[in-house]
Amino acid sequence: NAGVTQTPKFQVLKTGQSMTLQCAQDMNHEYMSWYRQDPGMGLRLIHYSVGAGITDQGEVPNGYNVSRSTTEDFPLRLLSAAPSQTSVYFCASSYPNSDTEAFFGQGTRLTVV
Amino acid sequence: DQQVKQNSPSLSVQEGRISILNCDYTNSMFDYFLWYKKYPAEGPTFLISISSIKDKNEDGRFTVFLNKSAKHLSLHIVPSQPGDSAVYFCAASLIQGAQKLVFGQGTRLTINP
């Protein structure tokens, strides 16, 4: 059972480059989310989705785009990378029930130079 | 505006003793609370949760207590084991489902033999 799979695990970008962080889940979860974790801070919500075709912004959405064309996949796009986007990114998925937990991927460590 | 706070960045406990991790929140509308455990280079893994209608939830060595009047929750681990050494995050949810979690900054727990 793969759960939530994120690719790549590590990435170095130059300022201004674009890239897509991939996230896929095989648990048929309707809800998916992207978080970033910075030193000394907890995870902060970037974008989330409650189903295919439905996305919304979280706490720190600037500089990131998302789309959800299938239940399984929820890619996160950086349009023009900035050093402030150096972080560890986590994707999560969950069932649309109350009192349920989110399952997290292993994370993508991104460095923007 | 940090809605969920873990004021102790680190905690050191002797093996076999009780570990108590604390978490405070400011938004009285939070409906559901979760604790996650995180090892280096891995994603957070769910540990235990509690609904706002309860004041205690127990699962094996782990117990979570919720004091709504004080807006405070705590995680008790007893007895503590070396494998419990990790960073612990508390998280809270305003709405049904776990797609929009608000995290604390984390507490690094070290269990000493």
Side-chain angles (χ1 to χ4, degrees):
Chain A
N1 189 356
V4 180
T5 302
Q6 291 184 236
T7 55
K9 286 188 169 50
F10 302 94
Q11 182 72 48
V12 179
L13 284 180
K14 293 183 178 179
T15 298
Q17 285 185 317
S18 63
M19 80 159 294
T20 299
L21 280 63
Q22 302 291 345
C23 176
Q25 52 94 7
D26 62 359
M27 297 174 282
N28 203 30
H29 286 166
E30 287 188 40
Y31 291 176
M32 296 186 75
S33 309
W34 275 102
Y35 296 84
R36 60 177 287 174
Q37 185 194 7
D38 300 298
M41 303 184 74
L43 282 72
R44 292 183 293 166
L45 182 65
I46 304 172
H47 286 284
Y48 66 98
S49 168
V50 297
I54 307 170
T55 63
D56 205 348
Q57 296 181 349
E59 181 187 356
V60 288
N62 292 340
Y64 307 95
N65 275 1
V66 292
S67 60
R68 183 105 178 266
S69 55
T70 67
T71 300
E72 295 77 21
D73 301 297
F74 190 41
L76 178 72
R77 296 183 188 84
L78 283 71
L79 302 177
S80 178
S84 61
Q85 294 178 304
T86 294
S87 188
V88 182
Y89 292 84
F90 292 101
C91 178
S93 69
S94 59
Y95 286 114
N97 305 324
S98 57
D99 298 0
T100 186
E101 72 269 25
F103 295 81
F104 283 83
Q106 297 272 60
T108 295
R109 182 174 293 275
L110 176 68
T111 302
V112 183
V113 297
Chain B
D1 179 24
Q2 189 83 19
Q3 295 190 72
V4 178
K5 294 182 182 180
Q6 295 175 256
N7 292 316
S8 297
S10 63
L11 176 67
S12 186
V13 174
Q14 196 165 7
E15 181 179 359
R17 306 295 288 267
I18 184 171
S19 296
I20 300 176
L21 294 92
N22 294 304
C23 180
D24 298 298
Y25 61 95
T26 57
N27 192 334
S28 58
M29 299 301 291
F30 283 134
D31 192 46
Y32 185 57
F33 302 88
L34 309 89
W35 283 94
Y36 280 85
K37 176 179 180 180
K38 186 182 178 306
Y39 292 120
E42 294 185 9
T45 54
F46 172 73
L47 202 54
I48 192 170
S49 63
I50 188 166
S51 167
S52 61
I53 63 172
K54 297 182 179 179
D55 55 18
K56 177 182 175 181
N57 189 27
E58 197 170 351
D59 184 2
R61 296 187 297 115
F62 304 93
T63 303
V64 57
F65 296 92
L66 175 62
N67 182 334
K68 283 182 292 184
S69 61
K71 296 191 182 67
H72 178 83
L73 65 156
S74 60
L75 174 68
H76 292 210
I77 307 173
V78 57
S80 300
Q81 299 174 354
D84 296 330
S85 295
V87 176
Y88 290 77
F89 291 98
C90 70
S93 178
L94 274 170
I95 57 176
Q96 178 177 337
Q99 73 276 29
K100 289 184 67 177
L101 297 178
V102 181
F103 282 84
Q105 307 96 307
T107 296
R108 181 178 301 278
L109 175 66
T110 303
I111 306 301
N112 302 307

